């Protein structure tokens, strides 16, 4: 307990220029959009092969979004703690579950719902702990 | 449906590789100059930020093994193994970056791992 108190006291002393948890939050939204695009691309692919992949617009857009999301992760890691930020990436599961329900009409059941609630709660706990 | 041990091992391996990807990304991020245009150019010689490049490469390798792993088997078994990667990363953050392990981090991580387990349960 005392360790947690000293840590938050130290953090509150430094001026926070960016908010790393917020950056990782954006990173998970982009990551989820990338996965949905890649799934769409894979559904539209008639035959496997490198040329088919390179000319597959949704697939390539998915890869680009992954690139941008990695970039945001790097910017976040520059200012934030790895042990705090890395688990926040699990938010991707939440967005993917919601988006695949809306777009692909995948089923949502009480297990998934419980999982989503727990992940969001966990990220909230980490986000609160990581505040300046 | 039963989950083959080989698929569990593939996913575990993917989570392990991925956690090292995160370590390299973090150590590479600390070398990044102001401005994202300098992302792969480091401050010191040899100027190419090989740590970031290694991190990205490890993530790509990890996602390959992950996709191979989840092709067969139950997601309720395989997804929690992915989230073990968060626990490895907690360890590496302590060892390599001397980050404090607080009660808040353990609690948040516990909720997330449990959450990923239940999402996997519902994804049969």
């Amino acid at each position: 307990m005392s360790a947690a108190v000293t840590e938050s006291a130290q953090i509150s002393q430094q001026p926070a220029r960016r908010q790393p948890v917020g950056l990782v939050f954006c990173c998970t939204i982009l990551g989820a959009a990338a996965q949905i695009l890649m799934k769409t691309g894979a559904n539209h692919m008639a035959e496997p092969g490198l040329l088919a992949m390179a000319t597959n617009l949704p697939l390539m857009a998915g890869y680009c979004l992954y690139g941008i999301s990695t970039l945001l992760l790097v910017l976040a890691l520059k200012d934030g703690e790895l042990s705090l930020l890395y688990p926040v990436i699990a938010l991707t599961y939440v967005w993917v579950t919601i988006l695949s329900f809306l777009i692909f009409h995948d089923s949502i059941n009480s297990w998934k719902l419980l999982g989503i609630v727990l992940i969001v709660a966990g990220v909230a706990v980490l986000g609160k702990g990581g505040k300046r | 449906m039963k989950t083959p041990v080989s698929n569990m091992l593939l996913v575990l391996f993917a989570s392990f590789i991925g956690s090292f990807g995160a370590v390299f990304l973090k150590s590479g991020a600390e070398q990044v100059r102001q401005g994202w245009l300098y992302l792969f150019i480091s401050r010191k010689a040899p100027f190419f930020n090989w740590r970031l490049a290694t991190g990205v490469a490890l993530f790509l390798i990890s996602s390959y093994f992950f996709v191979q792993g989840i092709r067969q088997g139950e997601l309720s078994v395989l997804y929690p193994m992915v989230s073990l990667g968060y626990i490895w990363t907690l360890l590496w953050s302590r060892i390599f970056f001397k980050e404090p392990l607080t009660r808040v981090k353990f609690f948040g991580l516990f909720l997330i791992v449990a959450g990923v387990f239940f999402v996997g349960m519902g994804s049969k």
Side-chain angles (χ1 to χ4, degrees):
Chain A
M1 190 66 205
S2 62
V5 170
T6 11
E7 190 217 351
S8 60
Q10 277 168 358
I11 285 172
S12 64
Q13 280 165 10
Q14 355 175 298
R17 287 174 296 115
R18 295 196 195 90
Q19 290 187 311
V21 176
L23 275 174
V24 178
F25 187 90
C26 298
C27 164
T28 61
I29 293 179
L30 287 178
Q35 286 188 28
I36 298 291
L37 280 168
M38 287 164 107
K39 170 81 177 163
T40 312
N43 286 347
H44 285 275
M45 207 142 75
E47 68 216 69
L50 272 182
L51 187 71
M53 279 173 78
T55 53
N56 192 319
L57 207 65
L59 193 67
M60 287 299 127
Y63 278 117
C64 286
L65 282 190
Y66 254 134
I68 299 170
S69 109
T70 309
L71 204 143
L72 288 183
L73 182 62
V74 170
L75 288 182
L77 285 174
K78 236 179 96 169
D79 297 329
E81 289 182 310
L82 179 63
S83 52
L84 200 82
L85 295 178
Y86 197 60
V88 176
I89 297 178
L91 266 184
T92 312
Y93 287 103
V94 174
W95 310 133
V96 168
T97 305
I98 296 172
L99 284 174
S100 50
F101 169 70
L102 293 176
I103 297 170
F104 303 122
H105 305 291
D106 285 0
S107 70
I108 266 194
N109 48 42
S110 38
W111 291 123
K112 282 189 192 173
L113 219 55
L114 177 62
I116 285 178
V117 170
L118 284 174
I119 293 174
V120 170
V123 171
V125 166
L126 289 177
K128 218 165 145 61
K131 258 200 185 142
R132 305 124 287 164
Chain B
M1 186 168 56
K2 285 257 292 186
T3 310
V5 177
S6 58
N7 290 66
M8 291 189 203
L9 289 176
L10 278 171
V11 171
L12 269 180
F13 187 63
S15 82
F16 199 67
I17 299 275
S19 71
F20 275 105
V23 167
F24 276 97
L25 226 54
K26 168 72 180 163
S27 73
E30 286 170 350
Q31 295 187 329
V32 170
R33 274 201 247 186
Q34 290 300 320
W36 57 272
L37 273 175
Y38 297 99
L39 207 58
F40 282 95
I41 306 168
S42 70
R43 276 191 189 133
K44 289 175 253 164
F47 301 108
F48 176 69
N49 196 335
W50 63 271
R51 290 172 192 221
L52 270 192
T54 309
V56 171
L58 287 176
F59 270 150
L60 287 175
I61 296 169
S62 152
S63 67
Y64 172 78
F65 284 109
F66 175 67
V67 169
Q68 294 300 315
I70 58 165
R71 283 168 76 165
Q72 214 191 340
E74 289 171 289
L75 289 182
S76 59
V77 178
L78 295 174
Y79 268 16
M81 298 193 157
V82 181
S83 62
L84 280 182
Y86 304 134
I87 296 171
W88 310 134
T89 310
L90 199 70
L91 269 174
W92 310 148
S93 315
R94 175 77 188 143
I95 294 172
F96 296 117
F97 305 112
K98 307 277 187 299
E99 291 180 6
L101 298 187
T102 60
R103 204 178 276 192
V104 172
K105 282 180 194 168
F106 279 119
F107 183 52
L109 189 63
F110 169 75
L111 287 175
I112 289 174
V113 171
V116 173
F117 169 76
F118 285 118
V119 170
M121 280 271 280
S123 302
K124 274 180 194 158

